[in-house]
Amino acid sequence: MEISVTDYSDILSRNGLGAAELSGGTLAVHTPIDGSQIASVHETPAGEMAAIIDNANAAFREWRTVPAPVRGELVRLLAEELRAAKDDLGALVSLEAGKILSEGLGEVQEMIDICDFAVGLSRQLYGLTIASERPGHRMMETWHPLGVAGIITAFNFPVAPWAWNATLALVCGDALIWKPSEKTPLTALACQKILERAMDKFGKAPKHLQQVVIGDAAVGEALVTSPKVALISATGSTRMGRAVAPKVAGRFGKLILELGGNNAMIVAPSADLDLAVRAITFSAIGTCGQRCTSLRRVIAHESIRDELVDRLKKAYASAPIGSPLEAGTLVGPLIDQGALERMQDALSRAAKDGGTVHGGYPVTEGVPAGAYVQPAIVEMPKQTEIVREETFAPILYVMPYSELSEAIAIQNDVPQGLSSCIFTNDIREAETFVSDVGSDCGIANVNIGPSGAEIGGAFGGEKDTGGGRESGSDAWRGYMRRQTNTINYSRELPLAQGVKFDL
């Protein structure tokens, strides 16, 4: 689907966004495509947050009594609405976040996929039956709805992480408050309308089951510090996580953090270089390097590093840069000029550390007026401090290694621990990489890049990535509270561990 770059009003209207949502507010929303302002959104007054949280708790008390398979029906209807809105919402993601249309549509497909996962999950919220050491007793583990879940999302994936959290939380019986990034509030407003259409068809959802709040740190502070918000699931920078985590922990709230990534690929001597180059190119320049799973470091064996760099330079040179709404574009804009400046600063520091920079310069010809750049490849003699930092831009550092143990040590020697991969045809190297002496990341892949996770596996990472898990596997447990029950159906009262306490 090709869209004219001047057709912004059509994209907005097709997502149900009119004057009420787009004008009269204090938050200016700009599209990264050309930097133009596309909306003035109303912000949520911080003073209203207490009432919003109380309304969410009232909705929770009602929603938790609905059987889980029935709650799943709401999510099934949400999936139907998302399928119908996929083209429109995908275009809005591209408009507001700057990612190419294919990626915008892919993000909406990810929302549909997690809906399907959650519908099945609604009949699989299993607990355990546990053998008791006491005769005439049965133990079991049950899972109950948790409460209000506060969802904080980032600009680079403005809708999919909301869906990862919201769909699981809804089938688990929770109510939702969503605070989107101030850079991408329009996609949140559009998703709220989509969810409300599903709720209308469902007919049994309480009012205020989900509320969207938009604003600055004061709104986030009210959400994070309230003891009436049982769970905070926050996606964003490590800096944000360091601010949020102590406040939630201080009130003993539950926390899911999805923070920074500094993801690496080890390219072994036996690697299929054609495959590796394709994986590197997508993982490093997709979303203009603004994924938490973007590839930022290549650790290439010294015997193949020069050939690999030559191939990468050719691949980078052939990647079309331009408006993400135009067919054929592979590299859209950075989110804003500030991101471009941070990229240039990182490249300057890398050069001072002895790096050889290929590309990385701003692009102003043949593109709209946004922050467009030529993705950069930087040949580094070793892993310096700037390489250990996450720069949210298309910078790929390439470093040599001689032994696998050295490569794994370089990969793990960063604060972040989200995603990782190795390209090798040596089964010993592959198995070592995914073993306990290999990658220390939450995601470790073999012969596939670090970017583009499927919803069937739990998503998240270790160290400065925050330790959270969302999406598939058993991540649903984060949205519920566990209860252990012991039932005595005998006429005796034996104590555990053989304790005697006879009166």
Side-chain angles (χ1 to χ4, degrees), residues 233-267:
S233 180
T235 303
S237 67
T238 296
R239 179 185 57 80
M240 178 274 290
R242 292 193 194 284
V244 167
K247 295 172 182 176
V248 178
R251 60 177 180 83
F252 301 112
K254 295 188 74 172
L255 187 63
I256 299 172
L257 289 176
E258 297 288 356
L259 308 176
N262 193 348
N263 315 294
M265 176 191 294
I266 297 171
V267 184

Side-chain angles (χ1 to χ4, degrees), residues 61 77 251 439 475:
R61 288 189 289 272
L77 292 169
R251 60 177 180 83
S439 171

Side-chain angles (χ1 to χ4, degrees), residues 60-61 148 273 275 337 340 395 451:
F60 162 69
R61 288 189 289 272
V148 174
L273 290 188
L275 201 63
Q337 290 294 323
L340 188 151
I395 301 176
S451 199

Side-chain angles (χ1 to χ4, degrees), residues 92-149:
L92 183 61
V93 169
S94 294
L95 174 65
E96 194 173 36
K99 59 179 62 178
I100 63 173
L101 256 181
S102 175
E103 292 190 79
L105 295 171
E107 186 168 348
V108 181
Q109 184 60 50
E110 195 167 358
M111 302 171 76
I112 295 167
D113 292 345
I114 194 62
C115 284
D116 292 346
F117 180 93
V119 172
L121 177 66
S122 68
R123 295 181 182 271
Q124 299 178 75
L125 302 176
Y126 298 139
L128 299 173
T129 298
I130 307 163
S132 174
E133 67 185 64
R134 290 170 283 186
H137 287 60
R138 178 169 65 88
M139 294 176 65
M140 65 181 183
E141 194 176 75
T142 52
W143 293 86
H144 298 296
L146 180 64
V148 174

Side-chain angles (χ1 to χ4, degrees), residues 242 260-264 296-297 299 383-390 397 399 407-420 439-441 462-465:
R242 292 193 194 284
N262 193 348
N263 315 294
R296 312 215 179 273
R297 298 175 294 140
I299 306 160
Q383 186 157 271
T384 63
E385 194 57 36
I386 185 58
V387 180
R388 298 177 76 250
E389 295 178 15
E390 179 190 33
Y397 301 106
M399 296 165 288
I408 291 173
I410 293 170
Q411 179 202 278
N412 293 346
D413 186 27
V414 294
Q416 310 85 359
L418 178 52
S419 191
S420 60
S439 171
D440 66 358
C441 296
E462 304 300 326
K463 302 188 296 187
D464 279 8
T465 302

Side-chain angles (χ1 to χ4, degrees), residues 140-444:
M140 65 181 183
E141 194 176 75
T142 52
W143 293 86
H144 298 296
L146 180 64
V148 174
I151 304 171
I152 300 172
T153 54
F155 76 84
N156 59 321
F157 273 80
V159 292
W162 165 74
W164 297 348
N165 286 276
T167 56
L168 299 192
L170 285 172
V171 299
C172 288
D174 301 334
L176 313 172
I177 300 175
W178 180 11
K179 182 186 181 302
S181 166
E182 293 144 271
K183 297 180 187 293
T184 52
L186 301 182
T187 43
L189 296 175
C191 287
Q192 179 71 12
K193 290 178 178 292
I194 292 169
L195 176 60
E196 287 173 354
R197 291 199 293 270
M199 291 170 63
D200 288 344
K201 291 181 179 179
F202 181 72
K204 299 181 285 292
K207 187 178 181 182
H208 304 306
L209 183 59
Q210 172 171 286
Q211 300 166 88
V212 174
V213 296
I214 296 171
D216 58 14
V219 172
E221 180 83 4
L223 192 63
V224 164
T225 57
S226 173
K228 296 180 180 180
V229 179
L231 168 69
I232 294 291
S233 180
T235 303
S237 67
T238 296
R239 179 185 57 80
M240 178 274 290
R242 292 193 194 284
V244 167
K247 295 172 182 176
V248 178
R251 60 177 180 83
F252 301 112
K254 295 188 74 172
L255 187 63
I256 299 172
L257 289 176
E258 297 288 356
L259 308 176
N262 193 348
N263 315 294
M265 176 191 294
I266 297 171
V267 184
S270 66
D272 181 333
L273 290 188
D274 290 336
L275 201 63
V277 167
R278 290 174 58 196
I280 291 169
T281 304
F282 168 71
S283 299
I285 71 175
T287 323
C288 201
Q290 297 171 115
R291 290 176 174 235
C292 55
T293 55
S294 288
L295 181 62
R296 312 215 179 273
R297 298 175 294 140
V298 166
I299 306 160
H301 192 268
E302 56 194 12
S303 66
I304 50 95
R305 188 182 80 147
D306 290 346
E307 180 184 355
L308 180 63
V309 170
D310 287 342
R311 290 194 184 200
L312 287 173
K313 287 192 289 186
K314 292 176 182 176
Y316 272 44
S318 67
I321 302 169
S323 167
L325 296 180
E326 290 184 348
T329 297
L330 292 182
V331 183
L334 290 165
I335 189 67
D336 54 29
Q337 290 294 323
L340 188 151
E341 292 168 6
R342 288 187 289 274
M343 178 180 178
Q344 299 307 306
D345 178 66
L347 290 174
S348 176
R349 289 174 59 189
K352 290 178 182 178
D353 289 343
T356 301
V357 179
H358 308 282
Y361 47 83
V363 175
T364 56
E365 294 185 6
V367 298
Y372 293 85
V373 293
Q374 173 68 39
I377 300 169
V378 186
E379 297 181 72
M380 295 295 293
K382 61 180 181 178
Q383 186 157 271
T384 63
E385 194 57 36
I386 185 58
V387 180
R388 298 177 76 250
E389 295 178 15
E390 179 190 33
T391 302
F392 225 51
I395 301 176
L396 182 68
Y397 301 106
V398 182
M399 296 165 288
Y401 81 93
S402 57
E403 300 292 337
L404 180 62
S405 59
E406 175 193 3
I408 291 173
I410 293 170
Q411 179 202 278
N412 293 346
D413 186 27
V414 294
Q416 310 85 359
L418 178 52
S419 191
S420 60
C421 59
I422 186 171
F423 271 68
T424 180
N425 285 324
D426 185 326
I427 190 171
R428 292 184 178 88
E429 290 184 329
E431 290 291 345
T432 298
F433 183 76
V434 298
S435 75
D436 54 0
V437 299
S439 171
D440 66 358
C441 296
I443 299 169

